[in-house]
Amino acid sequence: MTRIAVLDDWQDAARSSADWSPLMARADVHFFRLPFASEDDAARALADFEIVLATRERTPFPSSLVTKLRRLKMFGLTGARAALIDIAGMIERGITVCYTGGGPSVQSTAELALALMLAATRRIPQSDAAVRAGQFQLGTQGGFILAGKTIGLLGLGRIGAQMSGYCNALGMRVLAWSQNLTDERALAAGASRVSKDELLATSDVVSLHLVISERTRGMLGVAELARMKRGAILVNTSRGPLVDEAALIEAVQSGRLFAALDVYRREPLPADHPLIRCANTVLTPHLGYSVVEVYAEYYQHSVENALAFLDGKPVRVLERPAH
């Protein structure tokens, strides 16, 4: 019987998000809730599986791991783009790579960016902790209103444009920058196009909405973070490697910036990571797409993809990596 591994079910959501019974009737399906300790750990655990169904941006699948999985015939990923997965290498080795729809992940991610911004400006996690500790307002700080403040959006694609609409509704001034952004596109999204330097220097909140690539990796380094206003908030719901982590840690530890983060260079975030010990942070565990509506599409499509592959008629097949 074909063995199928369902990976990265960190929120224990896979079983309840789709009807797995047709697949379980034809294959031996295993759900993996915990992340692997290392690449070698993943190779050992997955050595006997013919089909792997993975969730994007969780377990890395570099070529060094793919070459160890000699029984792998089909790989399913949620969505169509995954920077941590060697899709091209899999296709070259003859492995069928299938994708899923993304569901309302644009809205879910933009709403989380909004939530992180609000949580940071009003110090909601710290205030919640004070109430639970019996301190009520003791030891808490006053926040500030967003109306009249400036937000800078680095990236004005679908998620960035959604965030622009939210911020306009709050009465904020919205600035935007990306390498290919035009004045017309910015205005259509309710933003003003400015240079990256001007955006960083004048924004009270900077929110990242860019795809990770060689030209965007580490785009916010020591110099860029130093241009931001003292006390400004950096919101990142895109990808951790967009920001130089060491530079961000220094800026947060010194109290110069406030970080509201959903993504990190390494995930899961280690328990002893310096950001965890910083008071001026709001940290969520990569929840951007993690809503029931998105999971429903991810996992139902994953089941359909695996069944179609077993039937010899694969669907939603990637012929080349998505960009």
Side-chain angles (χ1 to χ4, degrees), residues 139-150:
T140 64
Q141 296 178 334
F144 59 87
I145 62 170
L146 290 167
K149 299 297 191 300
T150 298

Side-chain angles (χ1 to χ4, degrees), residues 217-236:
R217 188 179 301 273
M219 65 171 296
L220 292 188
V222 173
E224 289 78 15
L225 295 178
R227 289 192 185 98
M228 292 177 62
K229 296 167 68 172
R230 174 168 290 275
I233 296 167
L234 178 66
V235 178
N236 190 1

Side-chain angles (χ1 to χ4, degrees), residues 263-317:
V263 290
Y264 312 91
R265 184 180 62 82
R266 178 183 171 189
E267 297 179 6
L269 192 66
D272 60 350
H273 197 279
L275 287 171
I276 294 176
R277 298 191 296 272
C278 293
N280 53 330
T281 57
V282 178
L283 309 176
T284 52
H286 203 150
L287 298 178
Y289 59 73
S290 301
V291 295
V292 294
E293 295 89 349
V294 171
Y295 279 149
E297 185 158 318
Y298 274 179
Y299 289 117
Q300 188 55 48
H301 283 186
S302 295
V303 171
E304 294 170 4
N305 291 347
L307 286 170
F309 180 80
L310 292 176
D311 288 337
K313 301 176 181 178
V315 297
R316 303 187 187 96
V317 177

Side-chain angles (χ1 to χ4, degrees), residues 44-316:
R44 285 190 295 269
L46 301 175
D48 295 330
F49 288 90
E50 290 89 1
I51 296 176
V52 169
L53 304 177
T55 302
R56 61 186 299 179
E57 308 306 329
R58 293 188 181 174
T59 298
F61 274 85
S63 59
S64 54
L65 174 56
V66 175
T67 56
K68 297 173 186 175
L69 304 179
R70 303 190 182 278
R71 296 175 63 89
L72 184 62
K73 297 177 181 177
M74 177 203 155
F75 186 91
L77 67 148
T78 56
R81 182 190 294 117
L84 299 180
I85 298 172
D86 181 22
I87 296 173
M90 289 186 188
I91 295 172
E92 187 175 318
R93 289 173 58 84
I95 298 167
T96 299
V97 180
C98 299
Y99 64 93
T100 74
S105 55
V106 168
Q107 292 84 354
S108 66
T109 304
E111 288 178 7
L112 183 67
L114 173 65
L116 285 171
M117 179 175 67
L118 291 167
T121 56
R122 298 305 297 270
R123 308 300 194 255
I124 290 175
Q126 295 83 350
S127 299
D128 176 86
V131 172
R132 295 176 189 277
Q135 298 298 305
F136 207 63
Q137 288 192 3
L138 296 177
T140 64
Q141 296 178 334
F144 59 87
I145 62 170
L146 290 167
K149 299 297 191 300
T150 298
I151 183 165
L153 302 176
L154 292 175
L156 199 62
R158 292 184 298 163
I159 296 173
Q162 192 88 13
M163 185 67 167
S164 178
Y166 298 155
C167 294
N168 273 290
L170 289 170
M172 300 184 74
R173 175 187 179 221
V174 181
L175 306 179
W177 174 89
S178 70
Q179 288 184 320
N180 299 316
L181 183 63
T182 64
D183 288 335
E184 292 74 20
R185 283 178 52 207
L187 288 171
S192 298
R193 183 177 71 91
V194 297
S195 69
K196 184 169 69 173
D197 285 351
E198 181 180 345
L199 183 149
L200 293 172
T202 59
S203 296
D204 301 289
V205 180
V206 173
S207 189
L208 289 167
H209 302 284
L210 292 164
V211 174
I212 190 72
S213 68
E214 288 308 310
R215 70 180 185 179
T216 61
R217 188 179 301 273
M219 65 171 296
L220 292 188
V222 173
E224 289 78 15
L225 295 178
R227 289 192 185 98
M228 292 177 62
K229 296 167 68 172
R230 174 168 290 275
I233 296 167
L234 178 66
V235 178
N236 190 1
T237 55
S238 293
R239 294 293 179 266
L242 292 171
V243 185
D244 180 317
E245 185 178 74
L248 178 61
I249 290 171
E250 189 282 327
V252 172
Q253 286 180 333
S254 68
R256 194 165 50 79
L257 296 180
F258 195 110
L261 309 174
D262 186 50
V263 290
Y264 312 91
R265 184 180 62 82
R266 178 183 171 189
E267 297 179 6
L269 192 66
D272 60 350
H273 197 279
L275 287 171
I276 294 176
R277 298 191 296 272
C278 293
N280 53 330
T281 57
V282 178
L283 309 176
T284 52
H286 203 150
L287 298 178
Y289 59 73
S290 301
V291 295
V292 294
E293 295 89 349
V294 171
Y295 279 149
E297 185 158 318
Y298 274 179
Y299 289 117
Q300 188 55 48
H301 283 186
S302 295
V303 171
E304 294 170 4
N305 291 347
L307 286 170
F309 180 80
L310 292 176
D311 288 337
K313 301 176 181 178
V315 297
R316 303 187 187 96

